[in-house]
Each structure stands twice: as C-alpha cells, then as structure tokens.
Amino acid sequence: MPRWHAALPGWAGALLAVMLALAGCGRSSPEQQLRDQFAALQQAVEQRRPADAMDGVADDFSGPGGMDRAALHNLLRAQLLARDSVGVTTGPLEVSLQGETATIRFDALLTGSGRGRWLPDSAQSYHVTTGWRREGGDWRIHYAEWRAGP
C-alpha cells in the first residue's frame, strides 16, 4: 500500500481498501471466478454450512440416479449431521470453459469422523465431474457425477 494511505483517516483508508479490492474482483477472469466459487462451496461444506453450499447449486441441478437439488441438499445435510467433522481435499481442478458454461473435473478425498454412512469414518476418494453455468453473473453447478476411486 502506498505511504500516503497512512495519512488518511481510518474510515477513508478502509473505504479506499474496499474500493481497491472491488476493483480487483471486477477484473478477474471467468476461470478465476469459477475457481473462487468452487472454493467457496468447498469451504461451506467443510464449515458445516449446507445452506451456503447450496447457494452455488442451480435450481434445476441434476446428479446421479436422477438426483435433484432437494435430494442433494438432503444428502449433504444428512452427511453433516452424521459426522463430527468433514474434510474435502481436491486434486488439481481441470477447468474447461465454453462461453457461459464450464466443466470442472477433479479427484476428491472426502474424510469424516462420525457414524459412517455416505462417507466412511476414515476416507474415500472420488472422481468428480461438475457442469457449471453463469446465472446472473455468478457460476452455479447444474450437473454433477461422481464415482468412487481406487
């Protein structure tokens, strides 16, 4: 931060910092916005905030076996209630942009401690493919599939 920043009153310095941060956000690429949305969703799951995680899911979401958005939300809540802790570790994200849609492929290691349902008490790896699209300037997941890894 430039030296002249220290001479500004506290509120003016804070306002300037916010404006600079917002200006930086406006210039992020679609891929970076997508990666940021993915990270926010991952963080919401790890922090046991299923409603916040679902903010990134489209109303017409479809998943394995005909799973819709409500079923995904119920699955997420059930898993979080069944566990004392949940961890999500992903490998590198393979991001493919196609205009206003995108695909992210990755491997994930899900860990949890609790009463062993969807996630084992130790860990399980998955190969995951997610489909995303822009809705009102934000990226939302509209499709996902996953299969257990080796």
Side-chain angles (χ1 to χ4, degrees):
M1 190 71 60
R3 263 193 202 285
W4 52 265
H5 175 265
L8 295 173
W11 65 270
L15 181 59
L16 178 62
V18 169
M19 289 173 56
L20 289 172
L22 289 175
C25 291
R27 287 186 291 226
S28 64
S29 70
E31 181 174 342
Q32 188 58 52
Q33 292 169 358
L34 188 57
R35 288 177 181 277
D36 292 346
Q37 181 64 31
F38 182 92
L41 188 141
Q42 182 177 349
Q43 184 178 29
V45 170
E46 289 180 334
Q47 292 178 353
R48 309 175 67 79
R49 298 184 337 252
D52 290 346
M54 294 304 294
D55 285 346
V57 178
D59 289 339
D60 62 345
F61 172 84
S62 66
M67 178 184 290
D68 63 5
R69 186 179 195 280
L72 177 65
H73 193 195
N74 288 338
L75 176 64
L76 181 58
R77 286 188 297 194
Q79 293 307 313
L80 292 175
L81 286 171
R83 301 206 148 40
D84 298 326
S85 68
V86 172
V88 181
T89 304
T90 62
L93 303 182
E94 179 187 316
V95 178
S96 174
L97 288 163
Q98 307 90 29
E100 296 294 301
T101 64
T103 303
I104 300 179
R105 290 181 179 82
F106 58 95
D107 291 328
L109 177 63
L110 303 179
T111 58
S113 63
R115 296 172 273 295
R117 291 186 185 149
W118 177 53
L119 294 174
D121 283 338
S122 56
Q124 176 65 52
S125 64
Y126 293 90
H127 302 290
V128 183
T129 300
T130 56
W132 297 69
R133 69 170 172 248
R134 279 204 194 264
E135 291 183 2
D138 294 323
W139 289 99
R140 302 253 189 270
I141 298 176
H142 67 92
Y143 169 80
E145 67 179 25
W146 55 87
R147 63 180 172 29

